């Protein structure tokens, strides 16, 4: 349930929960109308679905595994069938306040409203994803940025769209705009070492080395045991002439993992080829392929490839 709420928001969680809530109410009404007796098959279905709900609350699999979803909805279908079999006429239900046709109209109206909400909600998200996918195929940076920003308006809770737009702005040469967009993506939930590093890079390219240092200090406050972030900050501090502060970060990184710290420093300072050769000669230096997180290594490999091409 927390994953669903985190990924779809409260509206998505409500839309997903309404059908199950209606069936739960139906079951409770049947239970009380039949003098607190249910068929053994219906009890078995309730037990199976309840076990699934408990398991889903402590596991990330749940409906993500298709076989789980098939099994759950088969059991749910049997439960609905049993409820229909045990359904009593409206005249037998004590305290019925609305005639059956009126209740049916209310139920149909409620389902129609839910379908409209679902259509609007998921259509906007689908359109945003389509715009983002088509933007990746465009060579023109300005047109691609425009599509990313339109997609973000349709799905403002998706910071990945803003991050992609920031990358395009950086490629177009507008590092200041790229930094602003990446900062927004970070504030909206994409604060990981790789994105903090990208923001610092954009800020350096925009002529804002002090802001880049503040960004990495902020990242270290969140990820204090990140060898990469501390080494990356140390290099920036050295470039600004703050050698004593840089030594503090290098020593802290070495205390966490000296081999990783030496490897990252060599890669950032000397490039991927020299870092690899140095690691071959000195076993206390981690080669680029062994550095963590590996996804960030590519950033520096690409930089070296671009330099060699020039």
């Amino acid at each position: 349930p927390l994953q669903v709420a985190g990924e779809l928001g409260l509206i998505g969680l409500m839309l997903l929960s309404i059908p199950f809530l209606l069936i739960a109410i139906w079951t409770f009404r049947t239970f009380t109308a039949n003098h607190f007796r249910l068929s053994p098959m219906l009890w078995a279905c309730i037990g199976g679905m309840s076990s699934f709900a408990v398991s889903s609350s402590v596991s990330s699999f749940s409906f993500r595994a298709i076989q789980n979803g098939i099994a759950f909805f088969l059991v749910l279908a049997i439960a609905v069938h049993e409820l229909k079999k045990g359904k009593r006429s409206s005249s037998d239900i004590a305290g019925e306040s609305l005639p059956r046709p009126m209740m049916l109209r209310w139920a149909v109206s409620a389902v129609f409203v839910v379908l409209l909400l679902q259509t609007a909600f998921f259509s906007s998200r689908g359109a945003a994803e389509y715009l983002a996918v088509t933007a990746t195929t465009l060579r023109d940076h300005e047109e691609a940025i425009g599509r990313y920003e339109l997609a973000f308006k349709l799905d403002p809770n998706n910071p990945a769209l803003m991050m992609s737009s920031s990358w395009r702005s950086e490629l177009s040469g507008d590092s200041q705009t790229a930094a602003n967009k990446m900062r927004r993506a970070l504030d909206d939930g994409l604060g990981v070492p790789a994105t903090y590093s990208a923001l610092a890079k954009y800020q350096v390219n925009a002529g804002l080395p002090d802001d880049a240092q503040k960004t990495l200090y902020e990242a270290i406050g969140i990820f204090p045991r990140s060898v990469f972030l501390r080494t990356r900050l140390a290099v920036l501090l050295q470039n600004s002439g703050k050698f004593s502060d840089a030594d503090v970060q290098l020593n802290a990184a070495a205390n966490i993992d000296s081999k990783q710290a030496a490897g990252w420093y060599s890669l950032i300072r000397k490039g991927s080829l020299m870092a690899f050769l140095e690691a071959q000669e000195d076993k206390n230096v981690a080669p680029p392929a062994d550095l963590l997180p590996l996804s960030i290594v590519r950033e520096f490999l690409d930089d070296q490839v671009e330099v060699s091409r020039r």
Side-chain angles (χ1 to χ4, degrees):
L2 292 176
Q3 271 190 311
V4 172
E7 295 177 8
L8 300 182
L10 291 178
I11 294 178
L13 180 62
M14 289 173 57
L15 293 176
L16 187 65
S17 302
I18 285 174
F20 300 110
L21 179 61
L22 293 176
I23 292 173
I25 294 174
W26 187 9
T27 303
F28 179 76
R29 290 170 64 98
T30 302
F31 185 60
T32 55
N34 289 333
H35 305 290
F36 306 103
R37 289 183 297 177
L38 297 175
S39 69
M41 182 62 74
L42 185 53
W43 276 118
C45 293
I46 292 173
M49 291 186 292
S50 299
S51 299
F52 182 87
V54 172
S55 173
S56 297
S57 298
V58 295
S59 167
S60 64
F61 294 100
S62 190
F63 290 119
R64 183 173 294 176
I66 188 171
Q67 62 270 24
N68 292 351
I70 292 173
F72 177 84
F73 283 103
L74 283 174
V75 174
L76 180 61
I78 296 173
V80 171
H81 178 69
E82 290 295 317
L83 287 170
K84 290 181 66 177
K85 282 182 14 179
K87 184 174 62 175
R88 305 178 59 174
S89 63
S90 58
S91 60
D92 296 333
I93 301 177
E96 189 73 44
S97 59
L98 292 175
R100 184 175 299 276
M102 182 63 71
M103 290 187 65
L104 182 60
R105 284 196 290 269
W106 276 107
V108 171
S109 299
V111 171
F112 182 71
V113 170
V114 169
L115 289 176
L116 284 179
L117 291 173
Q118 286 180 325
T119 300
F121 182 80
F122 293 114
S123 294
S124 63
R125 270 52 181 177
E129 289 296 328
Y130 175 77
L131 289 170
V133 170
T134 56
T136 61
T137 64
L138 298 175
R139 292 182 177 274
D140 184 84
H141 295 314
E142 293 302 323
E143 185 178 357
I145 291 170
R147 292 198 185 186
Y148 279 125
E149 292 179 350
L150 178 58
F152 189 77
K153 291 178 180 179
L154 292 173
D155 189 4
N157 295 320
N158 189 347
L161 299 175
M162 186 59 67
M163 181 182 70
S164 299
S165 181
S166 73
W167 172 70
R168 279 286 192 161
S169 294
E170 174 67 15
L171 289 180
S172 68
D174 191 353
S175 298
Q176 179 65 67
T177 300
N180 294 337
K181 290 179 179 179
M182 183 60 78
R183 167 50 67 182
R184 183 170 180 180
L186 287 174
D187 293 340
D188 286 344
L190 285 185
V192 296
T195 50
Y196 274 106
S197 176
L199 174 57
K201 175 183 176 181
Y202 299 162
Q203 289 169 330
V204 169
N205 292 343
L208 302 170
D210 292 339
D211 288 349
Q213 293 170 23
K214 291 178 181 178
T215 294
L216 292 179
Y217 273 119
E218 176 187 341
I220 289 173
I222 302 171
F223 306 100
R225 293 190 59 80
S226 174
V227 175
F228 163 72
L229 288 174
R230 289 189 178 277
T231 309
R232 183 89 161 86
L233 175 58
V235 173
L236 285 182
L237 292 171
Q238 288 178 346
N239 293 341
S240 299
K242 302 176 182 178
F243 296 104
S244 59
D245 293 337
D247 290 340
V248 170
Q249 297 302 326
L250 288 175
N251 291 333
N255 288 334
I256 298 170
D257 191 323
S258 60
K259 190 173 182 178
Q260 285 280 314
W264 273 116
Y265 185 81
S266 180
L267 176 63
I268 297 171
R269 269 294 183 205
K270 304 175 183 179
S272 57
L273 178 58
M274 293 301 298
F276 173 77
L277 295 177
E278 183 176 350
Q280 298 302 302
E281 298 178 358
D282 188 351
K283 298 304 179 183
N284 293 320
V285 178
D290 292 344
L291 296 177
L292 298 173
L294 187 59
S295 60
I296 304 180
V297 175
R298 181 175 175 80
E299 173 188 343
F300 299 94
L301 294 178
D302 286 344
D303 287 346
Q304 294 305 312
V305 170
E306 186 64 26
V307 170
S308 64
R309 286 175 180 172
R310 290 177 182 175

